[in-house]
Amino acid sequence: MRLTARARLALLQTALVLAAGAALTGLTYLLMKRRPALVTHLDPNGPDPRSTLRLMPPQPQDLRDLADRVQADTLSALLPQAALALVVVTVLAAVLAWLVAGRVLRPIRVISSAARRLSAENLTERVPVTAPADELSALAGTVNDMLDRIQRGVTERDRILDSQRLFTANAAHELRTPLTTARTAIDVTLDGQPGRDELLTMAGDVRDAVEHMQRVLNGLLLLARSQAGAGTQETTDLAAITAATLGTAEEQAAAAGIAIRARLRPALVTGEPVLLERLVGNLVDNALRYNHTDGHLTVETSTVETRTAGARAVLRISNTGREIPPEQAQTLLEPFVHGHGTRVRTDGPGLGLGLSIVHAITHAHQGHITITARPGGGLDITIDLPHHSRAAERPARRPAAVTAQPASVMRAAPPGSRPAE
């Protein structure tokens, strides 16, 4: 028969009380037995001159015998009375030990009950941590920390699995068209006796299809990497990354007749520099690709204080372009969506993965992205990331490409000036 922890604890406490009571009874019996009998004799002549009775040493033998009999009777009566008292105390101790054991083990039962209610689909429940701070409250805190780690692990696993499923679905969908194109070109060309020119044309079509598949796979791999989370964490200045990106895009903007307005203030973040550079690069490329001649691109970086989230590093990009319905602006963050709120083929000017990658990188860095359609056309995109408040620990990483500010890009404005409109 296997006893519960409560029963074992109650039995142990009862046994301790029984042993202590038995030891106390035995010791009392021995001490009383070894104590010599004290026999006194009263002087029959009455009180002494000071009106007190005089105690006489035990002289008569009969008085000594009487004292021995009294002592023996007392010891004989002591044993049953002490045994009865010991039984009563032991029973009372057993009841109290059972109640105290239940009280002490109650937090463990709560932890066990909470653990039984948990499952892979429900990891939100936590064990209550009671006061005062003792071993059981420490155990409850340890279990809660373990549940937090398990929940984060399960969430990360689900996110990675979703990313893999999305990658597989998108790859299967987007590679179908170029594969069909290459297959059709080969079948049509080889159906007969193709000449050299026809073979060269087929080879060109196949090469274009292969290049298109490579671009799709590269975009999907970058999207999957972004969704998997940030890797190497470094302190990086968004203003420096943005300046380097604008310097690279200056020639493209000049060729398209797009004016770049930049107001770059320090915005330190902790993250993976490669992904952050891709984030800014995709935003700038998207703003230039879907702009129009004589349009403009406004880029701002800054650090703001919020009441709920503390200091945040903010990147804002606003551009002109074609008009987008406000209710469809949020759909641009989905893969393979250009600007009409529906999935499109990837044989156009872009793959439709730029803003999806931006969204994934922002999420991987615990940031938020807000995208709104501008009246008259274009988008206004704001990204805020946790600010690196302890910048003194390590200097911010500045990309090696930043050597000089482009002439067509406005330099960072001094503090207190108004942002570009």
Side-chain angles (χ1 to χ4, degrees):
M1 180 178 178
R2 299 183 60 182
L3 298 178
T4 63
R6 182 179 184 181
R8 291 197 301 270
L9 186 59
L11 286 177
L12 178 60
Q13 293 175 347
T14 304
L16 291 176
V17 172
L18 179 61
L24 180 61
T25 301
L27 182 61
T28 303
Y29 180 84
L30 292 176
L31 290 177
M32 292 185 64
K33 186 176 182 180
R34 296 183 60 182
R35 185 175 183 272
L38 178 63
V39 180
T40 59
H41 175 67
L42 299 179
D43 188 359
N45 296 326
D48 60 7
R50 292 175 296 181
S51 300
T52 60
L53 293 174
R54 288 186 299 170
L55 299 178
M56 302 298 293
Q59 296 296 334
Q61 184 64 31
D62 56 346
L63 293 179
R64 182 176 295 275
D65 295 338
L66 177 61
D68 292 339
R69 289 197 300 270
V70 170
Q71 185 181 30
D73 293 340
T74 303
L75 292 177
S76 299
L78 174 64
L79 289 179
Q81 296 295 329
L84 179 61
L86 184 59
V87 170
V88 173
V89 171
T90 302
V91 172
L92 182 60
V95 174
L96 293 178
W98 179 263
L99 297 177
V100 171
R103 179 73 176 180
V104 171
L105 297 176
R106 180 180 301 173
I108 298 181
R109 292 198 302 270
V110 173
I111 294 175
S112 178
S113 177
R116 283 194 298 267
R117 290 193 297 269
L118 293 174
S119 64
E121 291 75 21
N122 177 26
L123 292 173
T124 58
E125 188 170 353
R126 293 295 179 267
V127 178
V129 180
T130 59
D134 53 10
E135 289 81 0
L136 292 177
S137 62
L139 175 61
T142 302
V143 172
N144 289 337
D145 294 339
M146 179 189 66
L147 293 176
D148 290 338
R149 291 192 296 270
I150 293 176
Q151 186 176 16
R152 288 194 297 267
V154 172
T155 302
E156 184 69 15
R157 180 207 64 183
D158 293 341
R159 187 169 61 83
I160 293 176
L161 290 178
D162 291 340
S163 175
Q164 292 176 349
R165 285 193 291 267
L166 180 62
F167 175 85
T168 303
N170 288 331
H173 184 276
E174 297 303 323
L175 294 180
R176 184 182 297 114
T177 299
L179 286 174
T180 303
T181 301
R183 177 71 177 272
T184 302
I186 295 174
D187 291 343
V188 171
T189 304
L190 297 182
D191 186 15
Q193 299 295 328
R196 183 174 183 276
D197 293 338
E198 293 177 335
L199 291 175
L200 291 177
T201 302
M202 179 195 70
D205 294 338
V206 173
R207 182 187 59 187
D208 293 340
V210 171
E211 290 178 352
H212 182 73
M213 287 187 289
Q214 184 178 5
R215 288 169 50 222
V216 172
L217 286 176
N218 289 337
L220 289 173
L221 288 173
L222 181 58
L223 177 60
R225 179 189 174 189
S226 304
Q227 292 172 337
T232 304
Q233 301 286 318
E234 295 184 15
T235 304
T236 309
D237 190 357
L238 281 180
I241 294 178
T242 305
T245 303
L246 293 178
T248 304
E250 180 185 8
E251 183 177 352
Q252 178 184 356
I258 300 173
I260 299 179
R261 308 169 186 172
R263 190 173 299 273
L264 308 179
R265 299 176 181 176
L268 298 180
V269 297
T270 300
E272 186 173 353
V274 175
L275 291 182
L276 293 175
E277 291 172 4
R278 173 62 64 178
L279 179 145
V280 178
N282 282 8
L283 287 175
V284 173
D285 180 73
N286 186 81
L288 294 177
R289 184 186 300 273
Y290 298 103
N291 215 314
H292 55 70
T293 306
D294 298 330
H296 68 268
L297 167 63
T298 303
V299 184
E300 301 176 11
T301 60
S302 61
T303 302
V304 299
E305 287 286 344
T306 62
R307 294 183 178 180
T308 56
R312 309 287 291 183
V314 178
L315 169 65
R316 179 185 177 187
I317 293 185
S318 178
N319 67 282
T320 54
R322 63 182 178 218
E323 190 169 356
I324 299 175
E327 64 275 6
Q328 295 183 3
Q330 197 66 26
T331 62
L332 298 177
L333 300 178
E334 301 175 5
F336 306 107
V337 174
H338 285 310
H340 302 287
T342 56
R343 188 182 181 95
V344 297
R345 292 175 55 188
T346 58
D347 51 2
L351 295 177
L353 288 172
L355 292 183
S356 300
I357 295 174
V358 169
H359 187 206
I361 296 175
T362 302
H363 180 74
H365 288 79
Q366 291 80 47
H368 303 89
I369 181 171
T370 303
I371 178 171
T372 56
R374 288 168 46 90
L379 293 174
D380 191 344
I381 302 176
T382 302
I383 295 176
D384 67 277
L385 303 174
H387 181 259
H388 181 78
S389 57
R390 303 176 65 184
E393 293 181 357
R394 180 170 45 179
R397 179 182 184 274
R398 302 181 68 88
V402 181
T403 55
Q405 189 75 2
S408 62
V409 179
M410 299 171 58
R411 297 184 181 273
S417 59
R418 297 180 58 189
E421 298 295 336

